[in-house]
Amino acid sequence: MSAAKIPHPPQPDPEPPRRPRTEVITRGFDPMLSVGSARPAVFRSSTYVFSSPEAAERAFDIVTGRAQPAPGEHPELIYSRLNHPNAEILEAQLAPLETDAREALVFNSGMAAIMTALMAHMQPGQGIVFTVPLYGGTEHLIQDFLAPLGMRGRPVPAGDGPGLQRAIAEMPNLAVVLLETPANPTLIMADIAQAAAAASRRQPRPIVMVDNTLLGPAFQHPLALGADLCLYSATKYLSGFSDMIGGAIMGADPALMHPIRLKRSLFGNILQPDECWILDGRLPTVGLRMQRASENAERVAELLARHRAVSRVFYPRLVRDLEQQRIIAAQCDAPGAMISLELRGGKPAAFEFLRRLKLARNAVSLGGVETLACHPKTTTHSGFTEAQFATAGVTDGLVRLSIGIEDWRDLVADFESALDAVTRVQL
Ligand SMILES: *Cc1c(COP(=O)(O)O)cnc(C)c1O
């Protein structure tokens, strides 16, 4: 009997397409697999029972890359270093948050995500072009760990668009372009679309990775601008409460994600079930939290810009450089909640400011619901050389703020009284 003679089974009504804000709550989670629990349960098992030896064989073929899963096929779980239900649920719900992403992978820190992405896509003898300043750990990884393994790095100052295009065009054996935009702590932007276009002019095309921790996933969408992979410290806005360490990678092309997944299984740096469960519960509010924090930061930046204790404010809304304005308009939906300010009077003024703050706390890190302030030159960036301080714009009087979601009036009052106190010291 030919297939055409078989009557078609009744088709269920097609599901209406769902939007990211819905998918972040519903996707990849079947309550019936968790005894009807309305929210995901935590599966702490290290190992999983197979339904048959054949299913075990098939699962191993797929996880090792010897076989591809058929459309709609879900290979059985094996062992939690490779994969586990809470990572699967989290990854299914993370992907819709990043515009154009199809897949996500989660890691036990942002550094683990970055290291695994680079180790999966670089070989000895190949090169990486990257913007500076990068997150300190990432720069350390490239200069002090990858370089001795024969993977050469070429730094380009953030904001130097022509320099970045030239480096991408010229560097021999270029495997990866890594952008961190905005740069920390001066929030200078790199043009993602321009870098992706420069990468596309090379054969073979290098992979464009963007560390999207500071403005993503709410306000900056690198994949839509031509980047291949978004890297995240989930420790920051994604988790949002300064109470866990995690990392994530989002991408559109499964062929670029697969080698990273294999390396993650090898390195054993997948995010653990409890942490996956915590992070998963934070995802539906990441857009709300970032929106409120960004609105608060705009109010705080206005105050800082008109206070006489402050000589300079670094904030995307207040940028005067025309090229930077163009990139911000093309690339960012909102200015975000990171602000840096330079106080008149150098380090003593900066330290006095930090001492005087009552609501904002003196701590490194960022992206939490609570407002934090730190002095980059003596903390996050203290390993820099004088030349690096100069290129990165890290001066003695610079203070970095991560604005939270408190009532903006209390924040403005706190910053204003601390600045007034600094003015008395400066005089
Ligand atoms: C914090 C941070 C990292 C490192 O993330 P961890 O979760 O601390 O490992 C990487 N990049 C940026 C931009 C960060 O802010």
Side-chain angles (χ1 to χ4, degrees):
M1 194 166 77
S2 79
K5 295 218 179 96
I6 299 172
H8 285 289
Q11 293 294 313
D13 288 339
E15 296 270 344
R18 297 215 175 106
R19 292 164 187 83
R21 286 180 200 169
T22 309
E23 286 212 306
V24 71
I25 298 170
T26 57
R27 196 167 177 254
F29 172 57
D30 177 358
M32 291 312 141
L33 297 176
S34 300
V35 295
S37 169
R39 291 290 298 167
V42 184
F43 297 89
R44 289 210 186 89
S45 290
S46 58
T47 192
Y48 284 83
V49 176
F50 302 114
S51 62
S52 69
E54 289 77 13
E57 182 179 26
R58 178 74 182 154
F60 269 82
D61 281 344
I62 289 171
V63 82
T64 53
R66 289 190 295 262
Q68 292 299 312
E73 179 183 3
H74 296 287
E76 290 188 5
L77 293 162
I78 300 174
Y79 182 66
S80 292
R81 198 185 75 241
L82 315 180
N83 196 11
H84 56 76
N86 291 99
E88 283 197 341
I89 295 166
L90 174 60
E91 288 166 355
Q93 303 194 340
L94 259 175
L97 281 181
E98 186 71 58
T99 307
D100 287 354
R102 282 178 59 197
E103 288 186 18
L105 290 166
V106 291
F107 296 83
N108 56 20
S109 70
M111 282 308 301
I114 295 165
M115 184 268 283
T116 308
L118 294 179
M119 295 303 279
H121 287 292
M122 287 188 76
Q123 304 290 329
Q126 294 186 319
I128 174 171
V129 164
F130 59 99
T131 53
V132 280
L134 280 182
Y135 179 74
T138 314
E139 200 157 335
H140 202 42
L141 178 76
I142 294 173
Q143 311 273 31
D144 304 323
F145 180 74
L146 295 182
L149 295 178
M151 303 177 213
R152 290 155 302 107
R154 178 155 161 195
V156 180
D160 179 4
L164 184 61
Q165 287 175 283
R166 214 176 314 118
I168 294 171
E170 289 169 1
M171 184 164 197
N173 277 325
L174 179 61
V176 172
V177 176
L178 174 60
L179 311 179
E180 191 175 307
T181 179
N184 167 15
T186 49
L187 306 177
I188 296 173
M189 300 282 170
D191 188 332
I192 298 169
Q194 196 179 63
S200 295
R201 289 192 285 274
R202 285 201 57 156
Q203 207 41 258
R205 183 181 180 279
I207 296 169
V208 179
M209 304 183 186
V210 177
D211 183 332
N212 206 27
T213 300
L214 263 53
L215 278 183
F219 302 142
Q220 181 172 265
H221 318 291
L223 303 178
L225 298 166
D228 300 297
L229 298 173
C230 289
L231 314 179
Y232 279 94
S233 169
T235 312
K236 315 296 168 51
Y237 291 101
L238 284 175
S239 70
F241 289 80
S242 303
D243 59 1
M244 67 170 288
I245 300 279
I249 301 179
M250 273 88 104
D253 183 357
L256 294 182
M257 298 294 276
H258 186 64
I260 304 174
R261 187 190 297 273
L262 294 182
K263 283 285 183 296
R264 184 183 66 178
S265 297
L266 193 61
F267 296 160
N269 55 13
I270 191 170
L271 192 63
Q272 300 272 328
D274 290 282
E275 270 76 15
C276 286
W277 181 86
I278 295 171
L279 180 54
D280 190 53
R282 307 289 173 73
L283 297 184
T285 58
V286 63
L288 299 172
R289 286 184 273 108
M290 290 187 78
Q291 188 65 40
R292 167 93 78 87
S294 180
E295 285 164 14
N296 282 355
E298 290 197 58
R299 309 273 195 161
V300 171
E302 278 167 30
L303 162 80
L304 300 175
R306 63 180 157 73
H307 201 287
R308 64 197 175 112
V310 179
S311 55
R312 235 183 126 177
V313 181
F314 300 86
Y315 189 61
R317 267 287 183 271
L318 302 174
V319 162
R320 294 214 189 86
D321 181 87
L322 291 180
E323 174 64 0
Q324 283 289 306
Q325 283 182 1
R326 181 191 67 73
I327 300 171
I328 291 164
Q331 188 164 299
C332 312
D333 299 342
M338 301 296 300
I339 309 174
S340 290
L341 65 146
E342 198 166 78
L343 289 144
R344 294 181 211 285
K347 185 173 160 187
F351 275 30
E352 182 64 9
F353 177 62
L354 292 173
R355 270 193 295 269
R356 293 287 181 159
L357 290 170
K358 293 198 176 76
L359 182 55
R361 304 201 187 276
N362 180 199
V364 300
S365 197
L366 58 106
V369 290
E370 70 293 320
T371 296
L372 302 178
C374 73
H375 185 246
K377 188 154 188 185
T378 53
T379 60
T380 51
H381 293 65
S382 58
F384 274 19
T385 62
E386 284 306 322
Q388 285 175 316
F389 283 135
T391 15
V394 177
T395 56
D396 290 322
L398 194 77
V399 171
R400 187 187 79 183
L401 308 177
S402 169
I403 302 296
I405 66 168
E406 303 91 338
D407 191 304
W408 67 269
R409 290 164 296 195
D410 294 329
L411 288 173
V412 166
D414 191 37
F415 286 115
E416 188 154 34
S417 78
L419 289 173
D420 289 346
V422 171
T423 315
R424 288 193 289 276
V425 173
Q426 285 167 340
L427 287 177

